[in-house]
Amino acid sequence: QSALTQPRSVSGSPGQSVTLSCTGSSSDVGNYNYVSWYQHHPGKAPKLMIYDVTKRPSGVPDRFSGSKSGNTASLTISGLQAEDEADYYCCSYAGSYTVFGSGTKVTVL
Amino acid sequence: EVQLVESGGGLVQPGGSLRLSCAASGFTFSNYWMNWVRQAPGKGLEWVANINKDGSVKYYVDSVKGRFTISRDHAKNSLYLQINSLRGEDTAVYYCAREGLYCSGSSCYSQYYFDYWGQGTLVTVSS
């Protein structure tokens, strides 16, 4: 039940694109197409941004997209905006449990 | 409007116990798997436990097995987490979260993501 590995921080200027990686194993990310991503502003409830690797809930801008290759999932934010500055967590189903990533802080320069 | 409101957090001594509650509204509570997720100070999110629709199936992260118990009460539309033998590393904000649901015809299936979260309740373990 080890946490998925995410880069500690990523930064970009407004309008740029950034990609966040999420590396797991063949027991979680690599074995299931049930990767989700959450945006978390400190002091607020986390918000679902992507589910089932690539799907976007209604209301989430199409600037957010997800993908997966092998044991690594990715979240891309295109056209970065100031309000995108937050912590982002990946999450994967792993059979009888669920595991989150270590989190990536996105900074908009 | 879906709402999840946690309560019951507070300051407790090591070895102590607390019961966290999550009041659900705005949806048919009995149709959904429910979860507890926590975040220790300065740390990331950690899944803690989940429970199926009728309360007969429960899963826990290894670090809380034998100490935490998840339960639900459909009459009160509430989710609970009984936490015993508290340790310093249990200090965290505890969130309740609803799992997604996919329905096709008369069949519905829990989905492996969390579509609604509460604001959290802080548990501090300290002497």
Side-chain angles (χ1 to χ4, degrees):
Chain A
Q1 297 185 344
S2 300
L4 308 176
T5 300
Q6 296 183 244
R8 200 172 191 90
S9 64
V10 166
S11 62
S13 300
Q16 285 187 330
S17 292
V18 294
T19 296
L20 287 57
S21 62
C22 168
T23 302
S25 70
S26 58
S27 298
D28 38 63
V29 175
N31 198 35
Y32 302 97
N33 287 322
Y34 296 129
V35 175
S36 51
W37 289 87
Y38 302 87
Q39 179 189 67
H40 191 202
H41 290 103
K44 292 196 167 186
K47 178 184 177 183
L48 176 67
M49 305 302 284
I50 294 288
Y51 67 98
D52 293 355
V53 179
T54 62
K55 299 176 183 175
R56 254 180 302 106
S58 60
V60 172
D62 59 7
R63 304 184 289 103
F64 292 86
S65 62
S67 63
K68 191 186 88 165
S69 177
N71 296 338
T72 299
S74 299
L75 173 72
T76 296
I77 309 174
S78 305
L80 200 60
Q81 298 184 5
E83 59 262 35
D84 299 334
E85 185 161 295
D87 297 320
Y88 289 82
Y89 294 90
C90 61
C91 179
S92 176
Y93 176 71
S96 59
Y97 65 95
T98 295
V99 61
F100 281 92
S102 47
T104 296
K105 180 172 181 57
V106 171
T107 301
V108 181
L109 301 172
Chain B
E1 180 194 4
V2 172
Q3 283 198 325
L4 298 170
V5 180
E6 301 93 338
S7 61
L11 175 62
V12 61
Q13 292 188 337
S17 298
L18 274 179
R19 188 196 198 202
L20 307 183
S21 300
C22 171
S25 61
F27 65 100
T28 305
F29 181 66
S30 58
N31 285 351
Y32 290 82
W33 281 65
M34 296 295 296
N35 293 252
W36 287 98
V37 177
R38 67 184 179 182
Q39 183 176 34
K43 303 291 187 181
L45 299 174
E46 179 185 34
W47 174 80
V48 174
N50 68 353
I51 185 169
N52 73 336
K53 294 184 292 184
D54 65 9
S56 62
V57 177
K58 305 171 186 182
Y59 295 110
Y60 300 90
V61 68
D62 285 347
S63 60
V64 309
K65 284 179 181 176
R67 300 189 300 121
F68 289 18
T69 302
I70 189 172
S71 62
R72 62 193 301 163
D73 183 335
H74 291 166
K76 295 183 178 180
N77 279 348
S78 290
L79 175 72
Y80 304 102
L81 186 67
Q82 177 68 41
I83 46 182
N84 299 328
S85 303
L86 277 159
R87 307 166 180 168
E89 56 263 37
D90 297 319
T91 294
V93 175
Y94 285 74
Y95 297 97
C96 70
R98 190 184 83 168
E99 284 190 20
L101 190 69
Y102 170 75
C103 293
S104 177
S106 59
S107 297
C108 291
Y109 309 91
S110 185
Q111 302 295 288
Y112 304 112
Y113 57 84
F114 310 120
D115 57 358
Y116 286 94
W117 298 64
Q119 294 287 337
T121 187
L122 176 62
V123 173
T124 303
V125 183
S126 175
S127 55

